[in-house]
C-alpha cells in the first residue's frame, strides 16, 4: 500500500539542500548505488536504506556529486525491484518511507544530491490497477491502462503479434478467466510479471505526473528513467517480421522502442521539474540506434541527460574510442546537452572484466586506464558501485544462487547480470567483508578481501585512491568537467592524446610502452610512468593526466 510520512505530505528540503550551482549536472560525477548490494544495515543479508545512510560519508569523501539509487519501491522482486507494485512506498526489505526521508536529508547535509530510479514503462503484475483489470475481465476500463489484446488463431490461442520479450520468449502472456479458460493477452516487453503501461491513456500520464511530484516534494534531486525509450508503441502494434529481435536492439528503430511519441511525455515532465528549486533533473536510459537519436531525448525542453551506451559498448581501441567520443560530443552540441560517459552499471559485465583481452579475465590495469580516460572527458560521468575498488565481474556464481529473471528464460539476454550485482566488500574480515552481519544475498569471492575499502584506503597505489585523486583533481581544475569538445593531438597508432583548457590527457591502449614528448606537469597516472630526458615512457594500457 502507499505509505505516507506522518508529519507532512510535502518535504521540499529547502533548508538542507546542497547549495545550488548553475547547471550542476553538466559536469556531475554520479554514483550508482544498487541497494541490494551496497550495505546491509539490519543484518538480513540484503542491502537496505539504513545501510546506505551509514555509508554516505564514504561517498562524500570519494568526491562524487550525486547518488543514483536503483529501485527501492514496494515490489514482489520478480526483476530485482524493476517490477513496481506501489510507486509511493518503500519495499520492507529496504526500509520505510521515513528511512528514505532520512537518507535524502543526510545526503543533502553532506552536499550530495539524490537521484531515484523511476520505472514508467511497466508495473508489477501485483500493481492494484493490473490486479483489478484481471479480476474484472475483458471490457474492464482498467485494461485500457495496459496493452490487452485478443489473440490470433481460431480460439485466440496465438499472441496478438510477433514481438519478443527482452528476457526471451514471447512478449505476450495470455490471461486466464474465472472459468479457467484463456482469454485476452497482455503485453510485457520484459518478464510476464511486468505488464507494459499504455501511455496513450490519460490516467497513466496523470498518475506519473503525480508520482514525480510525490518524490520531488520528498526532496529528491532527480530521476533516472528506466526504459525511457519504451513508453510509446507504434500504432496498431505491427509485426516486426523477424526473430531474435534482441539482436536488433540498438541497431534499428523497433515498433516498441524509440518511438517519437515519447518526447511529448518528457516535455510535460520537464515542465514539472522546472517548477522546483534546486535544479532537479531527469536522466534517460534510452537504448537507441545512434547517438544522434539519443540526443532527441535531451533537447532543451526535454530531459537533462541520457546515458551514452554507444561509449559503454566501445572496445579498448584508440581509433574506436576517438570515433565514439567525437560522435558523442558532436551529437550533443546542437541540443546544448552534456555528453555522459559510463563504463559499468547493474546490467552489464563490469569493465574490469569486459575490457580485458578475452572479455573474461580481471584486467585491473586496463580498467584503471579506462576510468581515467572517462573522467577526463567533457560532460558528466557515472560510476557504478565497486568500480572504484576495481571489482571484476563474478563469473563463477553457482546456478542455484542466481536470481536474474533472464537466467530462467530461454533465448533472451544472457541471464548473467548477477555477476555485477554481488555485494561490495568494505572490510578485509567477516563473513561478508563488512557488507553486513548476516552474510550476503549473493556469494562474494574469497579474493575480495584485498579489494575491500579498508584494504585500499590509504594505499597510494590502490584503485580507490586513484579514483579519489581523480575526482579531487576534477573538482579543482577548471579544464575538467563541463565542456563540449576536446582538441586532439598527433599521436602514434594506438595512442590517444587530447587537450582541454589547462589540461592534457594521454592514453596508451596498446600492449607495449610508448615514448612521447612530455606535454606538461604530471598530475596523475593509472600506472607508474617514467619521465626521461627523451620524454615520458607511457606503459601499456595506461592513461596519464597533465597540467599544461
Amino acid at each position: 500500500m502507499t505509505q505516507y510520512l506522518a508529519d507532512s505530505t510535502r518535504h521540499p528540503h529547502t533548508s538542507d539542500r546542497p547549495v545550488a550551482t548553475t547547471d550542476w549536472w553538466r559536469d556531475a560525477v554520479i554514483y550508482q548505488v544498487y541497494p541490494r548490494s551496497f550495505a546491509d544495515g539490519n543484518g538480513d543479508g540484503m542491502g537496505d536504506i539504513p545501510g546506505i545512510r551509514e555509508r554516505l560519508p564514504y561517498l562524500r569523501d570519494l568526491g562524487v556529486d550525486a547518488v543514483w539509487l536503483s529501485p527501492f519501491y514496494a515490489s514482489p522482486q520478480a526483476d530485482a525491484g524493476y517490477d513496481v507494485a506501489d510507486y509511493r512506498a518503500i519495499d520492507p526489505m529496504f526500509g520505510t518511507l521515513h528511512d528514505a526521508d532520512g537518507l535524502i536529508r543526510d545526503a543533502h547535509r553532506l552536499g550530495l544530491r539524490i537521484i531515484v530510479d523511476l520505472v514508467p514503462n511497466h508495473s508489477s503484475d501485483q500493481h492494484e490497477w493490473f490486479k483489478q483489470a484481471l479480476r474484472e475481465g475483458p471490457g474492464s476500463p482498467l485494461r485500457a491502462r495496459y496493452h490487452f489484446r485478443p489473440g490470433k488463431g481460431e480460439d485466440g490461442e496465438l499472441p496478438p503479434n510477433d514481438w519478443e520479450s527482452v528476457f526471451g520468449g514471447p512478449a505476450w502472456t495470455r490471461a486466464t478467466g474465472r472459468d479457467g479458460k484463456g482469454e485476452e493477452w497482455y503485453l510485457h516487453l520484459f518478464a510476464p510479471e511486468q505488464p507494459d503501461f499504455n501511455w496513450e491513456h490519460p490516467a497513466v500520464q496523470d498518475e506519473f505526473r503525480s508520482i514525480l511530484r510525490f518524490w520531488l516534494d520528498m526532496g529528491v534531486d532527480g530521476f533516472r528513467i528506466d526504459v525511457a525509450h519504451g513508453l510509446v508503441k507504434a500504432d496498431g502494434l505491427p509485426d516486426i517480421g523477424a526473430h531474435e529481435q534482441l539482436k536488433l536492439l540498438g541497431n534499428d528503430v523497433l515498433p516498441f522502442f524509440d518511438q517519437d511519441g515519447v518526447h511529448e511525455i518528457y516535455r510535460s515532465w520537464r515542465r514539472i521539474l522546472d517548477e522546483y528549486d534546486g535544479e532537479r533533473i531527469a536522466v534517460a536510459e534510452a537504448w537507441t540506434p545512434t547517438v544522434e537519436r539519443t540526443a532527441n531525448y535531451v533537447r532543451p525542453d526535454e530531459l537533462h541527460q541520457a546515458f551514452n551506451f554507444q561509449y559503454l559498448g566501445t572496445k579498448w581501441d584508440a581509433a574506436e574510442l576517438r570515433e565514439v567520443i567525437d560522435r558523442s560530443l558532436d551529437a550533443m552540441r546542437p541540443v546544448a546537452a552534456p555528453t555522459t560517459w559510463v563504463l559499468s552499471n547493474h546490467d552489464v559485465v563490469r569493465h574490469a572484466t569486459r575490457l580485458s583481452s578475452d572479455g573474461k579475465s580481471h584486467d585491473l590495469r586496463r580498467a584503471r586506464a579506462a576510468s581515467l580516460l572517462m573522467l577526463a572527458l567533457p560532460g558528466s560521468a557515472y560510476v557504478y558501485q565497486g568500480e572504484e575498488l576495481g571489482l571484476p565481474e563474478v563469473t563463477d556464481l553457482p546456478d542455484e544462487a542466481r536470481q536474474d529473471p533472464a537466467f530462467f528464460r530461454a533465448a533472451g539476454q544472457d541471464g548473467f547480470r548477477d555477476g555485477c550485482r554481488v555485494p561490495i566488500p568494505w572490510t578485509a574480515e567477516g563473513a561478508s567483508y563488512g557488507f553486513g552481519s548476516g552474510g550476503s544475498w549473493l556469494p562474494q569471492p574469497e579474493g575480495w578481501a584485498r579489494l575491500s575499502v579498508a584494504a585500499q584506503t590509504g594505499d597510494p597505489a590502490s584503485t580507490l585512491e586513484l579514483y579519489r585523486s581523480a575526482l579531487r583533481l576534477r573538482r579543482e581544475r577548471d579544464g575538467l568537467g563541463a565542456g563540449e569538445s576536446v582538441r586532439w593531438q598527433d599521436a602514434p597508432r594506438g595512442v590517444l592524446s587530447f587537450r582541454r583548457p589547462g589540461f592534457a590527457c594521454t592514453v596508451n591502449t596498446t600492449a607495449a610502452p610508448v615514448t612521447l614528448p612530455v606535454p606538461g606537469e604530471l598530475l596523475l597516472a593509472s600506472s607508474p610512468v617514467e619521465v626521461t630526458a627523451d620524454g615520458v615512457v607511457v606503459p601499456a594500457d595506461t592513461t596519464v593526466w597533465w597540467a599544461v
Side-chain angles (χ1 to χ4, degrees), residues 435-501:
F435 169 68
S437 60
S440 63
W441 67 283
L442 285 174
Q444 300 157 300
E446 293 182 3
W448 275 20
R450 61 183 177 82
L451 297 175
S452 66
V453 172
Q456 295 195 45
T457 295
D459 177 0
S462 73
T463 302
L464 176 57
E465 295 298 346
L466 178 73
Y467 268 77
R468 286 172 171 164
S469 296
L471 295 179
R472 174 180 54 80
L473 288 168
R474 189 179 160 102
R475 282 178 178 270
E476 293 175 353
R477 304 194 70 83
D478 294 337
L480 286 171
E484 60 178 28
S485 64
V486 298
R487 184 155 51 95
W488 295 106
Q489 308 293 300
D490 291 337
R493 184 181 180 87
V495 174
L496 293 173
S497 178
F498 63 84
R499 294 199 175 201
R500 302 187 62 197

Side-chain angles (χ1 to χ4, degrees), residues 314-317 321 343 351-359 361-373 466-467 507-512 526-527 540-543:
T314 303
K315 299 176 183 177
W316 184 243
D317 176 88
L321 286 165
L343 290 169
H351 71 273
T353 299
R354 191 183 71 252
L355 295 180
S356 66
S357 58
D358 60 4
S361 306
H362 182 198
D363 194 332
L364 182 58
R365 185 186 191 91
R366 190 171 285 185
R368 288 162 57 97
S371 297
L372 274 198
L373 168 59
L466 178 73
Y467 268 77
V507 186
N508 180 10
T509 69
T510 73
S526 63
S527 300
D541 297 325
T542 297
T543 297

Side-chain angles (χ1 to χ4, degrees), residues 302-529:
E302 294 191 40
L303 307 178
H304 298 76
Q305 292 185 354
F307 288 126
N308 188 347
F309 292 118
Q310 283 78 12
Y311 182 76
L312 182 150
T314 303
K315 299 176 183 177
W316 184 243
D317 176 88
E320 293 187 27
L321 286 165
R322 177 168 175 169
E323 179 183 2
V324 75
I325 290 168
D326 281 341
R327 287 191 61 197
S328 300
L329 293 168
D330 290 346
M332 297 300 149
R333 200 173 295 117
V335 294
T339 307
T340 64
W341 314 101
V342 60
L343 290 169
S344 291
N345 64 36
H346 65 292
D347 279 334
V348 300
V349 174
R350 286 186 176 275
H351 71 273
T353 299
R354 191 183 71 252
L355 295 180
S356 66
S357 58
D358 60 4
K360 301 176 183 178
S361 306
H362 182 198
D363 194 332
L364 182 58
R365 185 186 191 91
R366 190 171 285 185
R368 288 162 57 97
S371 297
L372 274 198
L373 168 59
M374 177 185 75
L375 293 171
L377 295 171
S380 179
Y382 283 77
V383 173
Y384 178 52
Q385 64 177 44
E387 75 172 69
E388 78 278 13
L389 305 177
L391 296 186
E393 185 81 357
V394 180
T395 58
D396 58 354
L397 287 170
D399 288 354
E400 59 270 21
R402 295 192 176 278
Q403 300 193 28
D404 184 351
F407 182 76
F408 303 99
R409 291 170 64 83
Q413 294 178 352
D414 60 22
F416 292 98
R417 294 180 299 172
D418 294 315
C420 64
R421 300 176 178 183
V422 174
I424 66 174
W426 292 93
T427 63
E429 305 84 23
S432 66
Y433 302 115
F435 169 68
S437 60
S440 63
W441 67 283
L442 285 174
Q444 300 157 300
E446 293 182 3
W448 275 20
R450 61 183 177 82
L451 297 175
S452 66
V453 172
Q456 295 195 45
T457 295
D459 177 0
S462 73
T463 302
L464 176 57
E465 295 298 346
L466 178 73
Y467 268 77
R468 286 172 171 164
S469 296
L471 295 179
R472 174 180 54 80
L473 288 168
R474 189 179 160 102
R475 282 178 178 270
E476 293 175 353
R477 304 194 70 83
D478 294 337
L480 286 171
E484 60 178 28
S485 64
V486 298
R487 184 155 51 95
W488 295 106
Q489 308 293 300
D490 291 337
R493 184 181 180 87
V495 174
L496 293 173
S497 178
F498 63 84
R499 294 199 175 201
R500 302 187 62 197
F503 174 82
C505 182
T506 306
V507 186
N508 180 10
T509 69
T510 73
V514 294
T515 301
L516 303 168
V518 177
E521 176 190 353
L522 177 65
L523 289 173
L524 191 63
S526 63
S527 300
V529 298

Side-chain angles (χ1 to χ4, degrees), residues 83-384:
D83 50 315
V84 181
D86 189 337
Y87 291 84
R88 298 178 182 84
I90 304 297
D91 194 281
M93 70 188 297
F94 296 127
T96 66
L97 204 58
H98 283 284
D99 292 327
D101 181 65
L103 171 68
I104 296 166
R105 293 180 181 275
D106 287 355
H108 288 169
R109 280 192 286 268
L110 292 170
L112 296 167
R113 291 176 167 85
I114 294 292
I115 295 171
V116 298
D117 232 311
L118 187 66
V119 188
N121 179 70
H122 48 262
S123 74
S124 165
D125 62 352
Q126 298 305 301
H127 191 286
E128 285 300 324
W129 284 5
F130 191 77
K131 289 196 297 183
Q132 187 173 344
L134 288 181
R135 286 195 303 267
E136 294 180 356
S140 167
L142 282 171
R143 291 204 172 193
R145 301 180 184 185
Y146 295 90
H147 292 279
F148 279 88
R149 295 290 187 277
K152 294 179 179 180
E154 183 176 342
D155 191 35
E157 71 277 9
L158 301 176
N161 67 20
D162 66 357
W163 293 2
E164 297 172 357
S165 164
V166 173
F167 287 164
W172 296 89
T173 289
R174 195 175 191 185
T176 302
R178 293 180 179 178
D179 58 2
K181 295 181 179 180
E183 37 120 309
E184 290 181 320
W185 297 70
Y186 68 87
L187 177 68
H188 53 86
L189 292 179
F190 294 88
E193 297 88 352
Q194 297 169 290
D196 279 44
F197 283 117
N198 174 17
W199 271 89
E200 302 295 331
H201 199 290
V204 175
Q205 299 181 28
D206 289 344
E207 172 68 355
F208 273 89
R209 284 192 287 263
S210 174
I211 291 167
L212 288 174
R213 292 186 184 281
F214 178 88
W215 289 103
L216 289 168
D217 290 342
M218 278 279 291
V220 303
D221 299 279
F223 303 90
R224 176 265 190 186
I225 303 168
D226 184 63
V227 195
H229 55 298
L231 277 56
V232 173
K233 279 66 174 177
D235 291 342
L237 310 185
D239 284 340
I240 294 175
H243 294 294
E244 296 187 323
Q245 294 166 13
L246 184 64
K247 296 180 179 179
L248 303 177
L249 300 184
N251 298 308
D252 297 297
V253 176
L254 300 172
F256 50 73
F257 280 163
D258 198 27
Q259 296 292 304
D260 290 339
V262 299
H263 299 293
E264 187 53 45
I265 296 169
Y266 298 136
R267 291 186 186 99
S268 72
W269 290 12
R270 178 60 179 264
R271 290 191 290 271
I272 293 173
L273 291 166
D274 287 347
E275 293 175 11
Y276 286 77
D277 66 348
E279 295 184 298
R280 319 294 180 96
I281 72 165
V283 183
E285 183 211 29
W287 290 89
T288 66
T290 64
V291 288
E292 290 77 15
R293 286 196 68 87
T294 301
N296 291 335
Y297 291 78
V298 289
R299 288 175 285 200
D301 60 345
E302 294 191 40
L303 307 178
H304 298 76
Q305 292 185 354
F307 288 126
N308 188 347
F309 292 118
Q310 283 78 12
Y311 182 76
L312 182 150
T314 303
K315 299 176 183 177
W316 184 243
D317 176 88
E320 293 187 27
L321 286 165
R322 177 168 175 169
E323 179 183 2
V324 75
I325 290 168
D326 281 341
R327 287 191 61 197
S328 300
L329 293 168
D330 290 346
M332 297 300 149
R333 200 173 295 117
V335 294
T339 307
T340 64
W341 314 101
V342 60
L343 290 169
S344 291
N345 64 36
H346 65 292
D347 279 334
V348 300
V349 174
R350 286 186 176 275
H351 71 273
T353 299
R354 191 183 71 252
L355 295 180
S356 66
S357 58
D358 60 4
K360 301 176 183 178
S361 306
H362 182 198
D363 194 332
L364 182 58
R365 185 186 191 91
R366 190 171 285 185
R368 288 162 57 97
S371 297
L372 274 198
L373 168 59
M374 177 185 75
L375 293 171
L377 295 171
S380 179
Y382 283 77
V383 173
Y384 178 52

